[in-house]
Amino acid sequence: MEFVRLEVEGGVGTIRLDRPKMNALNVQVQDEIRACSEEATARDDVKAVVVWGGEKVFAAGADIKEMATMSYTDMVARSGPLQASLGAVARIPKPTIAAITGYALGGGCELALCCDFRVVADDARLGQPEILLGIIPGAGGTQRLARLVGPAKAKELIFGGRFVDAQEALEIGLADLVVPAADVHETAVAWARRYTGAASFAIRAAKEAIDRGVETDLETGLEIERMLFAGLFATRDREIGMASFVENGPGKARFEGR
């Protein structure tokens, strides 16, 4: 693909955005993000995923020049694939970490919100400034941001379109870790490597239980958890993990990912 690629090393897959200068998310980039996400989902040698835009910028938003020419009917047709392209990142059933340098704005921020965790450069800026264009976030920003930082804070950011710096992002829960810009990718990859030896189906089940559970009521969430919990007793990793615990204590199991 031209602007997005999946690079795999040591069990960690990096979805690398590379569309100079600002990684603007035009239709082609959106479709390539979706393709790379589906590849990362399908590959057994990918245990965790880092989404990275390079040393200078994560993604500064949608391609406004492309979007400015679209009519209402154009966007009716495109809005579904737009959400689906970024949603494909959210649906990767493995740990995902956004490695954010420079700017993560608009669609770039929405892409970061699709990840499980966000490692942010200390000089980065994040935000949903779509209101300044006379529109609203359309790739999940109103929903995922509100779930992450709370409705009131999400409204304050979206209504005003303002950017937040790394420290504020950390304080409100939009960032999980702030590091020097030069260390962002290395830190994100190191975080992802924590999961390369984990019980893959248990990680998948935990992610599904949490993600689906927060979208419903407690009783339904508990039922989702119960079914996924019971299902793991059909896996080889459950047998390995429990036998290892009995024989050697916790944390020494060597899982097979099946």
Side-chain angles (χ1 to χ4, degrees):
M1 286 175 280
E2 185 176 2
F3 298 125
V4 186
R5 59 186 180 270
L6 178 66
E7 304 167 342
V8 182
E9 182 178 353
V12 176
T14 295
I15 295 178
R16 173 69 160 92
L17 278 63
D18 189 12
R19 187 188 180 215
K21 296 178 179 179
M22 302 297 286
N23 288 332
L25 306 180
N26 67 354
V27 168
Q28 181 178 343
V29 171
Q30 294 165 26
D31 292 343
E32 291 180 5
I33 289 171
R34 181 175 185 172
C36 285
S37 299
E38 291 171 349
E39 182 183 353
T41 295
R43 288 181 59 164
D44 290 338
D45 60 334
V46 175
K47 304 299 184 182
V49 175
V50 172
V51 181
W52 187 45
E55 294 87 355
K56 294 183 179 180
V57 64
F58 183 71
D63 189 327
I64 303 305
K65 290 182 179 179
E66 179 183 71
M67 191 178 293
T69 65
M70 292 185 177
S71 67
Y72 166 72
T73 53
D74 291 333
M75 192 50 72
V76 167
R78 185 60 208 171
S79 56
L82 167 62
Q83 286 194 351
S85 66
L86 272 60
V89 176
R91 290 191 298 275
I92 295 173
K94 305 167 185 182
T96 54
I97 303 164
I100 299 171
T101 54
Y103 294 97
L105 304 175
C109 188
E110 290 172 304
L111 176 60
L113 289 168
C114 289
C115 295
D116 298 316
F117 312 107
R118 282 151 293 281
V119 176
V120 177
D122 55 9
D123 59 354
R125 298 290 184 271
L126 299 85
Q128 301 285 173
E130 289 89 345
I131 204 80
L132 305 179
L133 303 174
I135 57 175
I136 65 171
T142 63
Q143 302 305 301
R144 292 191 176 96
L145 185 62
R147 285 166 168 78
L148 188 64
V149 306
K153 178 54 68 173
K155 289 175 183 177
E156 189 264 319
L157 295 177
I158 292 172
F159 289 2
R162 74 177 180 89
F163 303 170
V164 299
D165 61 22
Q167 186 57 43
E168 183 177 358
L170 185 64
E171 290 170 357
I172 66 176
L174 182 52
D176 297 288
L177 188 63
V178 173
V179 299
D183 299 336
V184 166
H185 183 247
E186 181 181 347
T187 301
V189 170
W191 191 336
R193 286 195 183 114
R194 300 178 194 174
Y195 308 112
T196 57
S200 301
F201 281 94
I203 289 277
R204 179 176 187 149
K207 180 167 179 172
E208 182 177 356
I210 294 167
D211 287 350
R212 291 178 62 192
V214 297
E215 296 172 355
T216 188
D217 61 273
L218 177 59
E219 288 302 315
T220 303
L222 288 169
E223 181 61 12
I224 292 168
E225 178 186 89
R226 184 192 67 79
M227 293 176 65
L228 290 165
F229 169 73
L232 290 170
F233 279 72
T235 66
R236 172 63 178 154
D237 280 347
R238 191 277 307 176
E239 297 175 4
I240 292 170
M242 291 190 172
S244 177
F245 178 87
V246 171
E247 295 172 11
N248 305 307
K252 297 181 177 63
R254 298 179 65 86
F255 295 109
E256 298 176 0
R258 61 189 181 93

